[in-house]
Amino acid sequence: MRPTRIWSECLKNNKRKLRGELPMNKKYKAAVIGVGFIGAGSHVPAYQTDERCELVAVADLKPGAAEYVAKRYGVEKFYEDPQQMLEECKPDVVSIC
């Protein structure tokens, strides 16, 4: 099956989820893996401004990158090992940038 076909099937089966209609009675724990230009410039600020999400951690393989972004944006936890972040923080939503 081609990737575009798989994606179109996902769209058909998950329309509600893909339109951003998340239940408002829950605060989702979010995390970002990869805090380069897109991760730090778009995803981190987006999670921080979305009232449905709490940005709990960031991770990047580049030494010092996650720490820098965490301090700059006030994120409590940062990791150089994304797997460790996923195991410890158990986020509901993850951006891989």
Side-chain angles (χ1 to χ4, degrees):
M1 202 179 253
R2 291 185 351 209
T4 53
R5 176 134 169 96
I6 294 170
W7 179 246
S8 64
E9 289 298 316
C10 289
L11 287 173
K12 282 188 222 172
N13 296 330
N14 296 306
K15 284 182 182 173
R16 180 174 177 196
K17 292 177 187 173
L18 294 173
R19 283 188 298 208
E21 297 175 13
L22 300 173
M24 294 299 291
N25 59 349
K26 179 179 180 184
K27 191 109 172 170
Y28 294 90
K29 295 191 302 183
V32 176
I33 297 174
V35 292
F37 184 74
I38 299 297
S42 297
H43 290 253
V44 169
Y47 284 130
Q48 288 184 321
T49 58
D50 192 329
E51 60 191 34
R52 299 170 294 181
C53 296
E54 174 191 2
L55 184 60
V56 294
V58 294
D60 200 296
L61 296 175
K62 183 179 177 184
E67 181 179 9
Y68 173 79
V69 170
K71 288 180 180 177
R72 180 175 177 200
Y73 289 99
V75 180
E76 188 176 325
K77 296 181 181 179
F78 57 90
Y79 297 85
E80 287 184 11
D81 180 3
Q83 186 63 40
Q84 181 184 1
M85 177 190 74
L86 294 173
E87 291 170 0
E88 290 181 13
C89 296
K90 299 187 184 344
D92 300 309
V93 179
V94 178
S95 288
I96 301 173
C97 304

